[in-house]
Amino acid sequence: MNIQPPAARARKTAMVLSAIAVAFAIAFGFAIRSWFAMVHGEVVSTLDGDGFAALYLVGALLLLLIAVLLRIFAGICELVWLERTWSNLPAEHRRVGPIENVTPVHIFGIAFIPVVAWFWKLALISAVANSLELVRKDLPFRAAVPRRLGVTACILGWLPPLNLYLAPFLWEMFARRIDVVCLELAALDQGLKN
């Protein structure tokens, strides 16, 4: 096996972007609440029709848009990490369902098909976990393969608002643990070559 180092920069970038997205989503919540209060009477008597409510609504929607865009970029970084992890698997294990020899084109291309992308990422996570367990038979390593954590992170990614507030952080935990497995495999592989 020729194991490349994990895509730690992509994983860390996804984490940072997700954390910033959460901050923008919380700011959106405060802004939309202020807008709602203005429109529904708490502050209406103090407004002289100068458009503050509209500004709060536009500001709130802008904050939400920024949060969504940040999560999209974080999702792309997660795919970059997943592609690197996938490339570390033995060639004979790179199969997902009926697709033989899944390539980076498959990983990224199918990930942008609406609805299918959810199930595709889940299938990739399962395939990575299964492959690493098969590799364990030939090249015993001690690190645990966090299959359930990856599946949980993926499934929570389907459920708003958990897809913003919880799933990215579970994904980070999953990715870190898979990176530990890959690093241990790289060390074992290097030891076998020497």
Side-chain angles (χ1 to χ4, degrees):
M1 279 178 73
N2 185 19
I3 301 201
Q4 301 174 12
R9 184 179 299 165
R11 179 180 52 75
K12 290 174 185 175
T13 302
M15 186 70 235
V16 169
L17 290 174
S18 295
I20 295 170
V22 167
F24 273 95
I26 291 170
F28 160 76
F30 283 114
I32 203 73
R33 187 192 179 290
S34 297
W35 169 79
F36 189 79
M38 285 181 183
V39 170
H40 288 90
E42 288 181 24
V43 203
V44 170
S45 60
T46 62
L47 297 177
D48 296 324
D50 48 10
F52 278 131
L55 284 176
Y56 268 90
L57 179 60
V58 169
L61 293 176
L62 187 60
L63 290 168
L64 182 61
L65 175 66
I66 292 170
V68 168
L69 289 174
L70 287 169
R71 269 304 297 146
I72 288 171
F73 289 127
I76 291 170
C77 290
E78 290 171 0
L79 283 174
V80 168
W81 174 86
L82 190 56
E83 187 278 325
R84 173 66 64 83
T85 302
W86 189 262
S87 69
N88 283 332
L89 301 178
E92 62 271 12
H93 296 175
R94 295 181 194 166
R95 174 190 172 103
V96 176
I99 304 174
E100 297 277 344
N101 193 21
V102 173
T103 64
V105 173
H106 292 110
I107 290 174
F108 288 100
I110 296 174
F112 286 97
I113 301 172
V115 180
V116 173
W118 295 338
F119 300 104
W120 177 245
K121 191 172 181 182
L122 183 62
L124 285 172
I125 290 168
S126 293
V128 166
N130 289 340
S131 176
L132 290 173
E133 289 299 342
L134 289 172
V135 168
R136 185 191 304 269
K137 293 177 183 175
D138 297 332
L139 194 62
F141 57 88
R142 292 181 298 153
V145 178
R147 178 191 182 94
R148 286 190 209 143
L149 184 59
V151 169
T152 302
C154 190
I155 291 173
L156 289 181
W158 304 344
L159 306 171
L162 297 177
N163 60 353
L164 177 67
Y165 294 113
L166 186 59
F169 305 104
L170 290 177
W171 178 265
E172 169 68 10
M173 291 167 53
F174 166 74
R176 277 180 183 257
R177 291 180 183 172
I178 292 292
D179 283 355
V180 167
V181 171
C182 288
L183 290 171
E184 188 175 338
L185 280 173
L188 287 170
D189 191 45
Q190 189 65 29
L192 290 175
K193 288 179 182 177
N194 292 336

